[in-house]
Amino acid sequence: FSYNNYNPQLILHEQYFEYKIILTKQKKYTDIQKLEVHGPQIRIFFKNSPVTFIVNLGTEQRAKQVVRFLKEKNVSIVGIQSS
C-alpha cells in the first residue's frame, strides 16, 4: 500500500500516461479497467492489479477535460458526480 497526499501526478500523453504515487510509472490506456469521477477527484482502477490511483485535479472543469480525453482513448468512465 502506498499513499502520497503531497504531490501525486497524472501526465497524459497521446499513446500512454504517467502517474506518480511514490515513483513515476508509465501505463497504456488499455491498462485502465475503469475511471471513476467524483467532482474534481478521479480514481483510476487498473486491470489485473490491486492498484487504484486517486488524484484531485483541483477543479471539476479540469476533471471534465481529463474525462473527455480518456473517453477518446476508450476508457470506461463510471460514477460521474458533481461536488
Side-chain angles (χ1 to χ4, degrees):
F1 176 73
S2 293
Y3 179 80
N4 176 356
N5 196 30
Y6 175 66
N7 193 21
Q9 294 180 346
L10 176 65
I11 302 169
L12 305 175
H13 300 278
E14 192 59 36
Q15 301 299 321
Y16 67 97
F17 67 99
E18 298 175 69
Y19 69 98
K20 177 183 163 199
I21 300 171
I22 302 296
L23 301 173
T24 301
K25 303 203 183 232
Q26 290 184 0
K27 294 270 192 183
K28 296 178 182 177
Y29 294 107
T30 56
D31 292 331
I32 299 175
Q33 177 183 357
K34 67 180 179 179
L35 177 90
E36 287 185 358
V37 182
H38 302 275
Q41 183 186 83
I42 63 169
R43 299 174 187 175
I44 299 174
F45 296 83
F46 297 104
K47 294 177 183 173
N48 304 313
S49 173
V51 173
T52 301
F53 178 68
I54 302 170
V55 64
N56 187 325
L57 298 171
T59 67
E60 287 188 30
Q61 182 62 31
R62 190 171 296 140
K64 288 176 185 177
Q65 291 171 333
V66 169
V67 166
R68 277 194 299 273
F69 180 84
L70 293 176
K71 277 185 179 178
E72 292 175 4
K73 303 298 179 190
N74 296 314
V75 172
S76 175
I77 313 291
V78 299
I80 298 176
Q81 302 175 1
S82 294
S83 58

